[in-house]
mmCIF file of all heavy atoms in Angstrom:
data_model
loop_
_atom_site.group_PDB
_atom_site.id
_atom_site.type_symbol
_atom_site.label_atom_id
_atom_site.label_comp_id
_atom_site.label_asym_id
_atom_site.label_seq_id
_atom_site.Cartn_x
_atom_site.Cartn_y
_atom_site.Cartn_z
ATOM 1 N N TYR A 131 89.120 -6.965 -6.684
ATOM 2 C CA TYR A 131 88.654 -6.514 -5.465
ATOM 3 C C TYR A 131 88.775 -5.028 -5.524
ATOM 4 O O TYR A 131 88.770 -4.326 -4.420
ATOM 5 C CB TYR A 131 89.409 -7.113 -4.312
ATOM 6 C CG TYR A 131 89.120 -8.520 -4.123
ATOM 7 C CD1 TYR A 131 90.178 -9.388 -4.695
ATOM 8 C CD2 TYR A 131 88.050 -9.122 -3.557
ATOM 9 C CE1 TYR A 131 89.877 -10.816 -4.463
ATOM 10 C CE2 TYR A 131 87.823 -10.452 -3.421
ATOM 11 C CZ TYR A 131 88.758 -11.317 -3.973
ATOM 12 O OH TYR A 131 88.619 -12.701 -3.890
ATOM 13 N N TRP A 132 88.827 -4.347 -6.600
ATOM 14 C CA TRP A 132 89.008 -2.833 -6.671
ATOM 15 C C TRP A 132 87.876 -2.193 -6.088
ATOM 16 O O TRP A 132 87.997 -1.151 -5.267
ATOM 17 C CB TRP A 132 89.187 -2.375 -8.136
ATOM 18 C CG TRP A 132 88.027 -2.612 -9.036
ATOM 19 C CD1 TRP A 132 87.687 -3.770 -9.740
ATOM 20 C CD2 TRP A 132 86.933 -1.816 -9.156
ATOM 21 N NE1 TRP A 132 86.507 -3.565 -10.366
ATOM 22 C CE2 TRP A 132 85.910 -2.306 -9.992
ATOM 23 C CE3 TRP A 132 86.599 -0.495 -8.732
ATOM 24 C CZ2 TRP A 132 84.753 -1.810 -10.373
ATOM 25 C CZ3 TRP A 132 85.455 0.025 -9.054
ATOM 26 C CH2 TRP A 132 84.498 -0.568 -10.017
ATOM 27 N N LEU A 133 86.666 -2.637 -6.247
ATOM 28 C CA LEU A 133 85.409 -2.032 -5.689
ATOM 29 C C LEU A 133 85.492 -2.038 -4.159
ATOM 30 O O LEU A 133 85.169 -1.163 -3.449
ATOM 31 C CB LEU A 133 84.153 -2.579 -6.249
ATOM 32 C CG LEU A 133 82.882 -1.963 -5.833
ATOM 33 C CD1 LEU A 133 82.914 -0.496 -6.133
ATOM 34 C CD2 LEU A 133 81.683 -2.643 -6.521
ATOM 35 N N TYR A 134 85.790 -3.288 -3.602
ATOM 36 C CA TYR A 134 85.924 -3.506 -2.190
ATOM 37 C C TYR A 134 86.916 -2.470 -1.547
ATOM 38 O O TYR A 134 86.681 -1.780 -0.602
ATOM 39 C CB TYR A 134 86.275 -4.937 -1.870
ATOM 40 C CG TYR A 134 86.667 -5.112 -0.409
ATOM 41 C CD1 TYR A 134 85.714 -5.350 0.540
ATOM 42 C CD2 TYR A 134 88.037 -4.943 0.012
ATOM 43 C CE1 TYR A 134 86.090 -5.553 1.852
ATOM 44 C CE2 TYR A 134 88.446 -5.153 1.333
ATOM 45 C CZ TYR A 134 87.441 -5.431 2.283
ATOM 46 O OH TYR A 134 87.789 -5.690 3.536
ATOM 47 N N ARG A 135 88.137 -2.410 -2.144
ATOM 48 C CA ARG A 135 89.200 -1.500 -1.668
ATOM 49 C C ARG A 135 88.567 0.043 -1.738
ATOM 50 O O ARG A 135 88.862 0.821 -0.901
ATOM 51 C CB ARG A 135 90.371 -1.590 -2.420
ATOM 52 C CG ARG A 135 91.135 -2.850 -2.197
ATOM 53 C CD ARG A 135 92.524 -2.903 -2.840
ATOM 54 N NE ARG A 135 92.930 -4.354 -2.936
ATOM 55 C CZ ARG A 135 92.922 -5.009 -4.067
ATOM 56 N NH1 ARG A 135 92.479 -4.511 -5.140
ATOM 57 N NH2 ARG A 135 93.227 -6.189 -3.994
ATOM 58 N N TYR A 136 87.977 0.314 -2.834
ATOM 59 C CA TYR A 136 87.491 1.781 -2.957
ATOM 60 C C TYR A 136 86.377 2.087 -1.847
ATOM 61 O O TYR A 136 86.479 3.066 -1.268
ATOM 62 C CB TYR A 136 86.919 1.919 -4.418
ATOM 63 C CG TYR A 136 86.475 3.353 -4.685
ATOM 64 C CD1 TYR A 136 87.398 4.361 -4.826
ATOM 65 C CD2 TYR A 136 85.054 3.679 -4.857
ATOM 66 C CE1 TYR A 136 87.108 5.719 -5.095
ATOM 67 C CE2 TYR A 136 84.731 4.966 -5.035
ATOM 68 C CZ TYR A 136 85.553 5.954 -5.206
ATOM 69 O OH TYR A 136 85.282 7.201 -5.393
ATOM 70 N N LEU A 137 85.432 1.262 -1.643
ATOM 71 C CA LEU A 137 84.356 1.431 -0.735
ATOM 72 C C LEU A 137 84.871 1.465 0.599
ATOM 73 O O LEU A 137 84.518 2.377 1.415
ATOM 74 C CB LEU A 137 83.314 0.385 -0.897
ATOM 75 C CG LEU A 137 82.540 0.464 -2.324
ATOM 76 C CD1 LEU A 137 81.522 -0.858 -2.337
ATOM 77 C CD2 LEU A 137 81.721 1.725 -2.314
ATOM 78 N N THR A 138 85.812 0.597 0.964
ATOM 79 C CA THR A 138 86.279 0.599 2.407
ATOM 80 C C THR A 138 87.294 1.809 2.622
ATOM 81 O O THR A 138 87.287 2.257 3.731
ATOM 82 C CB THR A 138 87.148 -0.745 2.799
ATOM 83 O OG1 THR A 138 88.109 -0.805 1.704
ATOM 84 C CG2 THR A 138 86.184 -1.950 2.775
ATOM 85 N N ARG A 139 87.920 2.427 1.559
ATOM 86 C CA ARG A 139 88.719 3.413 1.700
ATOM 87 C C ARG A 139 87.904 4.704 2.023
ATOM 88 O O ARG A 139 88.232 5.639 2.561
ATOM 89 C CB ARG A 139 89.561 3.696 0.382
ATOM 90 C CG ARG A 139 90.808 4.407 0.665
ATOM 91 C CD ARG A 139 91.724 4.491 -0.640
ATOM 92 N NE ARG A 139 91.592 3.300 -1.588
ATOM 93 C CZ ARG A 139 91.252 3.504 -2.901
ATOM 94 N NH1 ARG A 139 91.276 4.690 -3.402
ATOM 95 N NH2 ARG A 139 91.087 2.492 -3.683
ATOM 96 N N LYS A 140 86.626 4.674 1.403
ATOM 97 C CA LYS A 140 85.636 5.682 1.592
ATOM 98 C C LYS A 140 84.883 5.669 2.974
ATOM 99 O O LYS A 140 84.138 6.512 3.459
ATOM 100 C CB LYS A 140 84.732 5.818 0.575
ATOM 101 C CG LYS A 140 85.279 6.340 -0.715
ATOM 102 C CD LYS A 140 84.268 6.419 -1.915
ATOM 103 C CE LYS A 140 83.528 7.640 -1.869
ATOM 104 N NZ LYS A 140 84.133 8.955 -1.892
ATOM 105 N N GLY A 141 85.274 4.678 3.726
ATOM 106 C CA GLY A 141 84.720 4.366 5.147
ATOM 107 C C GLY A 141 83.409 3.658 5.039
ATOM 108 O O GLY A 141 82.718 3.670 6.111
ATOM 109 N N LEU A 142 83.019 3.042 4.036
ATOM 110 C CA LEU A 142 81.860 2.266 3.906
ATOM 111 C C LEU A 142 82.038 0.743 4.202
ATOM 112 O O LEU A 142 83.205 0.189 3.923
ATOM 113 C CB LEU A 142 81.258 2.407 2.504
ATOM 114 C CG LEU A 142 80.882 3.919 2.189
ATOM 115 C CD1 LEU A 142 80.630 4.022 0.725
ATOM 116 C CD2 LEU A 142 79.624 4.389 2.957
ATOM 117 N N SER A 143 81.097 0.132 4.614
ATOM 118 C CA SER A 143 81.126 -1.363 4.933
ATOM 119 C C SER A 143 80.949 -2.018 3.653
ATOM 120 O O SER A 143 79.902 -1.771 2.921
ATOM 121 C CB SER A 143 80.070 -1.612 5.858
ATOM 122 O OG SER A 143 80.134 -3.041 6.221
ATOM 123 N N CYS A 144 81.688 -3.036 3.298
ATOM 124 C CA CYS A 144 81.611 -3.801 2.082
ATOM 125 C C CYS A 144 82.030 -5.312 2.310
ATOM 126 O O CYS A 144 83.019 -5.534 3.094
ATOM 127 C CB CYS A 144 82.547 -3.248 1.055
ATOM 128 S SG CYS A 144 82.338 -4.042 -0.615
ATOM 129 N N HIS A 145 81.207 -6.233 1.916
ATOM 130 C CA HIS A 145 81.587 -7.618 2.018
ATOM 131 C C HIS A 145 81.524 -8.352 0.739
ATOM 132 O O HIS A 145 80.766 -8.100 -0.167
ATOM 133 C CB HIS A 145 80.367 -8.320 2.897
ATOM 134 C CG HIS A 145 80.165 -7.593 4.270
ATOM 135 N ND1 HIS A 145 81.009 -7.748 5.200
ATOM 136 C CD2 HIS A 145 79.240 -6.806 4.674
ATOM 137 C CE1 HIS A 145 80.513 -7.036 6.363
ATOM 138 N NE2 HIS A 145 79.496 -6.404 5.899
ATOM 139 N N VAL A 146 82.557 -9.200 0.469
ATOM 140 C CA VAL A 146 82.727 -9.936 -0.644
ATOM 141 C C VAL A 146 82.349 -11.381 -0.300
ATOM 142 O O VAL A 146 82.953 -11.866 0.700
ATOM 143 C CB VAL A 146 84.194 -9.833 -1.208
ATOM 144 C CG1 VAL A 146 84.283 -10.698 -2.464
ATOM 145 C CG2 VAL A 146 84.605 -8.525 -1.477
ATOM 146 N N VAL A 147 81.484 -11.942 -1.053
ATOM 147 C CA VAL A 147 80.875 -13.239 -0.652
ATOM 148 C C VAL A 147 81.254 -14.395 -1.723
ATOM 149 O O VAL A 147 81.311 -13.941 -3.015
ATOM 150 C CB VAL A 147 79.408 -13.163 -0.485
ATOM 151 C CG1 VAL A 147 78.768 -14.681 -0.178
ATOM 152 C CG2 VAL A 147 79.002 -12.234 0.545
ATOM 153 N N ALA A 148 81.625 -15.548 -1.525
ATOM 154 C CA ALA A 148 82.001 -16.513 -2.405
ATOM 155 C C ALA A 148 80.679 -16.943 -3.049
ATOM 156 O O ALA A 148 79.639 -17.275 -2.435
ATOM 157 C CB ALA A 148 82.504 -17.745 -1.670
ATOM 158 N N PRO A 149 80.718 -17.034 -4.359
ATOM 159 C CA PRO A 149 79.445 -17.330 -5.115
ATOM 160 C C PRO A 149 78.901 -18.741 -4.848
ATOM 161 O O PRO A 149 77.709 -18.954 -4.776
ATOM 162 C CB PRO A 149 79.879 -17.338 -6.597
ATOM 163 C CG PRO A 149 81.205 -16.671 -6.667
ATOM 164 C CD PRO A 149 81.797 -16.697 -5.345
ATOM 165 N N SER A 150 79.783 -19.630 -4.369
ATOM 166 C CA SER A 150 79.299 -21.008 -4.106
ATOM 167 C C SER A 150 78.559 -21.013 -2.808
ATOM 168 O O SER A 150 77.830 -21.903 -2.539
ATOM 169 C CB SER A 150 80.463 -22.036 -3.898
ATOM 170 O OG SER A 150 81.391 -21.490 -2.954
ATOM 171 N N LEU A 151 78.615 -19.982 -1.978
ATOM 172 C CA LEU A 151 77.894 -19.865 -0.681
ATOM 173 C C LEU A 151 76.686 -19.096 -0.700
ATOM 174 O O LEU A 151 76.032 -18.960 0.350
ATOM 175 C CB LEU A 151 78.901 -19.327 0.496
ATOM 176 C CG LEU A 151 80.155 -20.132 0.707
ATOM 177 C CD1 LEU A 151 80.980 -19.422 1.773
ATOM 178 C CD2 LEU A 151 79.868 -21.469 1.164
ATOM 179 N N ILE A 152 76.279 -18.646 -1.734
ATOM 180 C CA ILE A 152 75.035 -17.858 -1.936
ATOM 181 C C ILE A 152 73.935 -18.952 -2.178
ATOM 182 O O ILE A 152 73.991 -19.717 -3.112
ATOM 183 C CB ILE A 152 75.116 -16.853 -3.057
ATOM 184 C CG1 ILE A 152 76.008 -15.763 -2.755
ATOM 185 C CG2 ILE A 152 73.664 -16.363 -3.386
ATOM 186 C CD1 ILE A 152 76.245 -14.680 -3.714
ATOM 187 N N PRO A 153 72.988 -18.940 -1.290
ATOM 188 C CA PRO A 153 71.959 -19.973 -1.380
ATOM 189 C C PRO A 153 71.064 -19.814 -2.819
ATOM 190 O O PRO A 153 70.648 -18.776 -3.038
ATOM 191 C CB PRO A 153 71.113 -19.921 -0.109
ATOM 192 C CG PRO A 153 71.443 -18.610 0.394
ATOM 193 C CD PRO A 153 72.718 -18.175 -0.090
ATOM 194 N N ARG A 154 70.800 -20.997 -3.300
ATOM 195 C CA ARG A 154 70.027 -20.912 -4.582
ATOM 196 C C ARG A 154 68.965 -22.065 -4.379
ATOM 197 O O ARG A 154 69.122 -23.082 -3.917
ATOM 198 C CB ARG A 154 70.819 -21.193 -5.870
ATOM 199 C CG ARG A 154 71.969 -20.264 -6.156
ATOM 200 C CD ARG A 154 71.646 -19.261 -7.174
ATOM 201 N NE ARG A 154 72.811 -18.429 -7.457
ATOM 202 C CZ ARG A 154 72.698 -17.232 -7.535
ATOM 203 N NH1 ARG A 154 71.654 -16.543 -7.255
ATOM 204 N NH2 ARG A 154 73.780 -16.482 -7.760
#
Side-chain angles (χ1 to χ4, degrees):
Y131 297 99
W132 65 269
L133 185 58
Y134 169 83
R135 290 188 198 102
Y136 183 70
L137 292 172
T138 53
R139 209 174 331 128
K140 292 183 82 54
L142 297 165
S143 178
C144 183
H145 305 283
V146 181
V147 180
S150 61
L151 297 178
I152 294 179
R154 302 256 186 231

